[in-house]
Amino acid sequence: MLPVGSPSEVGVVRYRLRVQGQVQGVGFRPFAYRLATELGLGGWVRNDGRGVDMEVQGTVPDLERLIRDLRLKAPPLARVEGIEVREMAPHPACLNFLIEKSRAGMVRTGVSPDAAVCDACLEELFDPSERRYRYPFINCTHCGPRYTIIGALPYDRPNTAMAGFGLCLQCRREYGEPLDRRFHAEPVACPVCGPQLTLHDRDGQALAVPDVISAALALIRAGQILAVKGLGGFHLVCDARWPESVARLRTAKNRNEKPFAVMAANWASLAPWVRCDAGDRALLESVARPIVLLPREPDGGDPFPDVAPELAWLGVMLPYTPIHYLLFHEAAGQPRGTAWLRQPQELVLVCTSANVGGEPLVVDNDEAFRRLRRLADAYVVHDRDILVRCDDSVLQSNRGAPVFIRRARGYAPASIKLSAGGPSVLALGGSLKNTICLTRGDEAFISQHLGDLDNVVACAAFEETVAQLLELLDIRPERVAHDLHPDFHSSRFALAFADAHGLPTVAVQHHHAHVAAVMAEHGLQGPCLGLALDGVGMGSDGTPWGGELLRVEEGGFQRLGHLRSLALPGGDRAAREPWRMAASALHALGRGSEIIHRFPHEGAEVVARMLGLGFNAPPTSSAGRLFDAAAGLLGIKNYASFEGQAAILLESLALRRGRVPPLGGGYGLEEGGILDLLPLLDHLADLDDAAFGAALFHATLARGLVEWAAQASARSGVRRVALGGGCFVNEILRTAVRKGLEEAGLEVFEARQLPPNDGGLSLGQAWVAQVAVLQEE
């Protein structure tokens, strides 16, 4: 809306416009230039630290149309969050509209995530008459690297990894022409002036080959494993149809059973084996290009049995860099045009992050030659630096409302709008699936997925990301938030950072943060019930929590109840050996004498003695350990090779079995707000049908959670429930609980913009700390 009191509806007026949001590096200035010149307006537009700054002069109707179109017709990668309008005195003879040089200053804008190659660039890439034919670094204003090549804002070429690549005359002409698709596309380049690909052998020595892509594909087809440099790091790539290559990759990465993702040229190439509806296809083909977990076709067979063994879904992604597309183009015989991209293609690649056992992604060429020597047979590298590590995002198909499992490339560090402004907070997340969060006013910027902080290299990468985001966004935090657990690296770093900068800290209980994250992204104020279900988090009483019913509001939280506790025989070791949790359940049921006979493992007798004496077996209310107990009792998994494996296998079996009714009397609601699932576990211990037992477990647990929350709602009068914690990644549980609560007349809120797991903790911590500061004032 224009300011009230404009001189005339037809007279000449001038306005200063401040466009805020994701408006740099997305073609917003040439877009504004085109709109202004088409309307015959005078003035100028430029980037600065706060976003896009404009002065425009013309008639009121034309200015109204300009402001409307700036909002509604913005470029595909732009996100306009606000336009401030201020009236100014008209300038005499202001006939032209110009694009001015960017200005620095205090940063108030966001950073654009990386974007997949656009259709226009693909047309050029596969057209032999174009000068960028088969050039592996083709991009324009609407696509290509952003976050991973930015060193500072404003987003101009000297502040990116392209600073060292001088533009040739043709690229300079495109870069400087406001009506060109590559106007101020900062990564713009061509074969004459831009980055180049090279192929290296296992020892890092450059190989003289006439065509890197052709030679790389030949190695892949021969069963070799390649390390390929991408946008935010390296991938390890092999042919998904070669079981020997996949097995060798598993051995090299020490990843015995954890699923890999596959990359196909298009969704049609995987259609016989996975179900992909219109929503899934739109997600796969979006500019973010995440990995999407798609359900397998029940009778489709499995051409990649070693990629995701025993799971009911397959992680799938489509090409997003020119290098990816060129590999598939080479495999298709180098066809002209893009029609081949709409046809099924034979080549399917395993693409997995190039790192060693929980370490951060490799981003530097020399680092790759050194750290990936035992994993890769050859390397496809280039000379454009990766300035920010950023892994692939992972989402779960969910009938139009996908759920994040990992939020990174394509999404980070786009901001989440908060319901109100507040002091700047730095929140450091947890120990697993770590992210960090920085708030500025009513915006929360969440980093890319940083992984588990369980080794020195990962912790160093975490600290590097903190420094990068603080500098990039130019935020000076006023408070630091962290997990309640004092031994997490993120907590220790938070205290050291706060001490060094003279800042107060806020320790936020783990499950409080899970629920708060959901409340923050939905802008909820006032009381809200929260079901927080995950593996473990330190409780306010110092014991390990994980299955919690909370009441959360701005002043803090109240623990209304929890799952009945089970002992953790051997402490953390029980999380890696589900049979131990099954033994714990048997002991709690008075069936401890069965432990040695049911689990003839080394140590079963010791575990039975631990449980009997209550020694080294602390109690936990963890929902994750409840899943482990069920999987152990059903004989599904005794030893987990990766976090959450038993629960994932339990869900896969249940999905294949289909729905079953809940077990009558399978749970009890006890005094003190305790939900007791021991009757269900007792029943599972005597079942021979593991698939039926898995489905029964999910149905009964969901019914118990719904009744538990509904009773708390009836007592408290609170009609809203937030679902948080890693257990709500589970599609069966999440869907059944949401449906049951809604049928009970409650309003249900779930994580949508962030993962429900620990990847969302930092937002919850930031929200709690920001509210705490406001209440103190």
Side-chain angles (χ1 to χ4, degrees), residues 482-488 491 507-510 538-541 765:
H482 59 90
D483 193 272
L484 187 62
H485 200 301
D487 293 331
F488 287 172
S491 299
V508 183
Q509 198 279 322
H510 193 90
M538 175 178 278
S540 303
D541 58 3
Q765 293 169 352

Side-chain angles (χ1 to χ4, degrees), residues 212-234:
V212 171
I213 294 295
S214 177
L217 180 67
L219 290 173
I220 290 171
R221 283 181 157 164
Q224 301 294 288
I225 298 169
L226 267 61
V228 180
K229 191 175 184 180
L231 288 182
F234 280 74

Side-chain angles (χ1 to χ4, degrees), residues 630-717:
L633 289 170
L634 291 168
I636 294 170
K637 197 69 180 174
N638 285 332
Y639 294 90
S641 66
F642 61 90
E643 187 208 358
Q645 184 183 18
I648 291 171
L649 293 175
L650 194 71
E651 182 186 7
S652 290
L653 273 178
L655 284 168
R656 292 193 179 104
R657 175 59 174 79
R659 293 181 182 177
V660 302
L663 175 67
Y667 61 87
L669 293 172
E670 299 180 356
E671 194 173 336
I674 295 174
L675 174 60
D676 181 9
L677 276 300
L678 277 180
L680 170 62
L681 297 180
D682 193 25
H683 186 80
L684 297 182
D686 297 323
L687 282 181
D688 294 326
D689 186 340
F692 174 79
L696 185 68
F697 172 80
H698 283 82
T700 309
L701 174 60
R703 175 66 62 85
L705 292 170
V706 169
E707 186 176 343
W708 194 32
Q711 285 193 9
S713 173
R715 288 193 300 269
S716 66

Side-chain angles (χ1 to χ4, degrees), residues 83-146:
I83 301 179
E84 298 175 6
V85 183
R86 182 163 57 90
E87 185 174 356
M88 304 180 70
H91 289 192
C94 180
L95 301 177
N96 298 321
F97 194 87
L98 306 173
I99 297 180
E100 292 194 346
K101 186 177 180 181
S102 298
R103 286 189 176 182
M106 184 174 291
V107 176
R108 284 292 181 269
T109 187
V111 180
S112 300
D114 298 312
V117 189
C118 69
D119 290 343
C121 282
L122 287 176
E123 291 287 349
E124 289 184 47
L125 186 64
F126 302 126
D127 184 347
S129 68
E130 292 285 349
R131 69 189 187 95
R132 292 186 177 87
Y133 174 63
R134 287 178 61 82
Y135 179 56
F137 304 94
I138 191 170
N139 67 86
C140 72
T141 310
H142 306 308
C143 68
R146 296 290 191 277

Side-chain angles (χ1 to χ4, degrees), residues 470-658:
L470 284 169
E471 182 176 358
L472 189 59
L473 297 171
D474 195 20
I475 292 175
R476 299 295 176 263
E478 300 167 55
R479 187 157 295 203
V480 180
H482 59 90
D483 193 272
L484 187 62
H485 200 301
D487 293 331
F488 287 172
H489 178 76
S490 55
S491 299
R492 292 195 298 268
F493 176 84
L495 295 173
F497 182 94
D499 183 61
H501 294 83
L503 299 174
T505 60
V506 178
V508 183
Q509 198 279 322
H510 193 90
H511 303 95
H512 182 196
H514 271 311
V515 177
V518 179
M519 294 177 67
E521 76 157 274
H522 289 282
L524 301 183
Q525 296 178 334
C528 182
L529 297 179
L531 283 173
L533 309 180
D534 66 0
V536 69
M538 175 178 278
S540 303
D541 58 3
T543 65
W545 293 5
E548 313 304 315
L549 177 59
L550 307 178
R551 176 190 168 115
V552 177
E553 50 192 320
E554 286 81 352
F557 80 98
Q558 178 186 0
R559 191 188 195 196
L560 302 180
H562 57 85
L563 298 183
R564 174 168 174 162
S565 294
L566 287 173
L568 280 169
D572 290 343
R573 187 171 177 179
R576 301 187 296 272
E577 299 180 12
W579 74 269
R580 289 176 176 254
M581 292 311 303
S584 178
L586 290 172
H587 173 78
L589 289 165
R591 299 171 61 172
S593 60
E594 300 177 26
I595 293 173
I596 296 173
H597 304 293
R598 291 181 68 117
F599 304 108
H601 309 293
E602 183 181 352
E605 189 172 339
V606 173
V607 165
R609 194 177 304 120
M610 277 182 190
L611 291 165
L613 296 173
F615 172 73
N616 194 22
T620 180
S621 57
S622 168
R625 302 294 77 79
L626 184 70
F627 274 83
D628 289 344
L633 289 170
L634 291 168
I636 294 170
K637 197 69 180 174
N638 285 332
Y639 294 90
S641 66
F642 61 90
E643 187 208 358
Q645 184 183 18
I648 291 171
L649 293 175
L650 194 71
E651 182 186 7
S652 290
L653 273 178
L655 284 168
R656 292 193 179 104
R657 175 59 174 79

